[in-house]
Amino acid sequence: LPRHLLRPARTALIAAGLSLPLLPLATAMASAEPVKATYRVFVGGVTALDVNATLDVAGDRYRIAVSAVTGGTIGRLFSWRTDSESDGHVRGSDFRPDSHRQTSLLRGEPRNVTLTYGPQGDVSTSVTPPADKDDREPVPPDLQRGTLDPLTAVLDLLFAVGASEGCDRSLPVFDGRRRYDMVFSEVGRRIVDPSRYSIFSGVAQQCRVSYKPVAGYARSSSGGRFWQRNNPADRPPVNLWLAPVAAGSPPLPVRLETDSDFGSVVVHLTGVTPPAADRRAGASPQTVR
């Protein structure tokens, strides 16, 4: 179960102004302090994960760090933690990763990934356990080339929304085990109602995220896994709301919703540093509760 609890968190976990060209926005953040955000993940109404995310931009460099640990009832039953980190550089309007690392422990066994990116888009991969011991076909090198890691892909989306480019885009992603496309589509501006679980209420930009599997998926499936149906193509879409809640930063995820075999998945923003002076962004006729 823990391995699959991480997947919705990844999508909502990156800290990240509005309506500025993308590169000037990244440059403007260079002198700002790192942005930190915290989230709580609920599955079927039960607290599942507590998440910390940090975004640090300096000059044309960026670094994202995300950690997630079991919390609430699940945390009292067993302890599990995962840490992910990506760093790279901004080239024109593109984010180019240099490295991506993820470490976690599942049932006492390490599940680690290290990705190193070459200048021509090639990817050097170190994965524990390797694909042949993990009941999955390895992803061929030609399908890895030119991809983004999952954290950089979401960061690309946040800056695009901040630059008024909208959500619509498809990005090639390789996470060390699976190769898939993250397909983002525009839904529109919506009001997020106040909630005792979240620090945010107000107008947010809603995007929908779908996954198009390409390669590297399990040869067999036992079913009943969190966030993963028997067929990877059957994964439900993710609804993601973004708003400018951190000073000197592009819009942050403020809410995430999707479905799973264990019930609805909801991710709330529980804290941000430094906060924006004013989170209000206008009005909208539609409401999210």
Side-chain angles (χ1 to χ4, degrees), residues 11-12 153-162 164-169 182-192 203-211 227 236-243 251-258 288:
T11 308
V154 179
L155 182 63
D156 183 285
L157 171 71
L158 301 187
F159 272 86
V161 171
S164 298
E165 296 179 6
C167 302
D168 295 332
R169 63 193 54 241
M182 292 183 73
V183 182
F184 301 94
S185 58
E186 189 87 19
V187 178
R189 290 161 63 84
R190 301 290 186 268
I191 290 178
V192 177
V203 175
Q205 181 70 33
Q206 183 180 350
C207 303
R208 185 159 292 134
V209 189
S210 299
Y211 294 83
W227 187 268
V238 174
N239 285 296
L240 180 65
W241 288 266
L242 308 172
L252 276 171
V254 295
R255 184 182 176 97
L256 179 148
E257 291 183 2
T258 190
V288 177

Side-chain angles (χ1 to χ4, degrees), residues 18-289:
L18 247 25
S19 66
L20 293 171
L22 195 123
L23 182 57
L25 179 56
T27 303
M29 291 182 62
S31 60
E33 63 182 289
V35 175
K36 299 182 179 181
T38 58
Y39 296 87
R40 177 156 286 182
V41 182
F42 295 85
V43 181
V46 176
T47 300
L49 287 174
D50 289 313
V51 179
N52 290 276
T54 300
L55 171 64
D56 190 6
V57 178
D60 64 348
R61 305 288 307 174
Y62 71 87
R63 173 181 170 272
I64 311 164
V66 176
S67 63
V69 62
T70 47
T73 301
I74 292 179
R76 289 189 290 271
L77 294 175
F78 57 85
S79 177
W80 175 81
R81 180 186 178 93
T82 186
D83 296 276
S84 300
E85 182 176 315
S86 297
D87 62 80
H89 59 280
V90 183
R91 180 179 298 172
S93 61
D94 296 327
F95 288 88
R96 303 288 181 88
D98 291 330
S99 66
H100 171 75
R101 296 163 296 283
Q102 181 192 344
T103 61
S104 63
L105 203 64
L106 177 65
R107 301 186 187 95
E109 298 293 329
R111 292 187 63 82
N112 302 331
V113 171
T114 299
L115 304 178
T116 305
Y117 297 83
Q120 304 303 318
D122 51 306
V123 184
S124 175
T125 306
S126 175
V127 178
T128 304
D132 59 353
K133 295 184 178 180
D134 201 28
D135 191 35
R136 68 178 71 245
E137 296 288 345
V139 177
D142 60 315
L143 290 180
Q144 301 176 24
R145 191 171 297 112
T147 57
L148 301 175
D149 66 87
L151 299 183
T152 299
V154 179
L155 182 63
D156 183 285
L157 171 71
L158 301 187
F159 272 86
V161 171
S164 298
E165 296 179 6
C167 302
D168 295 332
R169 63 193 54 241
S170 178
L171 299 175
V173 176
F174 175 57
D175 65 7
R177 293 185 174 90
R178 293 163 292 270
R179 168 68 178 87
Y180 53 90
D181 292 335
M182 292 183 73
V183 182
F184 301 94
S185 58
E186 189 87 19
V187 178
R189 290 161 63 84
R190 301 290 186 268
I191 290 178
V192 177
D193 276 352
S195 166
R196 64 188 178 95
Y197 301 108
S198 176
I199 65 166
F200 177 82
S201 63
V203 175
Q205 181 70 33
Q206 183 180 350
C207 303
R208 185 159 292 134
V209 189
S210 299
Y211 294 83
K212 180 182 177 182
V214 176
Y217 288 83
R219 296 185 179 97
S220 61
S221 175
S222 58
R225 292 176 171 180
F226 177 82
W227 187 268
Q228 181 174 329
R229 308 300 172 91
N230 288 342
N231 184 345
D234 292 338
R235 288 184 186 172
V238 174
N239 285 296
L240 180 65
W241 288 266
L242 308 172
V245 293
S249 167
L252 276 171
V254 295
R255 184 182 176 97
L256 179 148
E257 291 183 2
T258 190
D259 293 321
S260 78
D261 292 336
F262 291 87
S264 62
V265 179
V266 182
V267 182
H268 291 288
L269 175 69
T270 57
V272 63
T273 304
D278 188 353
R279 295 183 189 139
R280 293 172 297 176
S284 170
Q286 307 227 14
T287 301
V288 177
R289 298 185 183 276

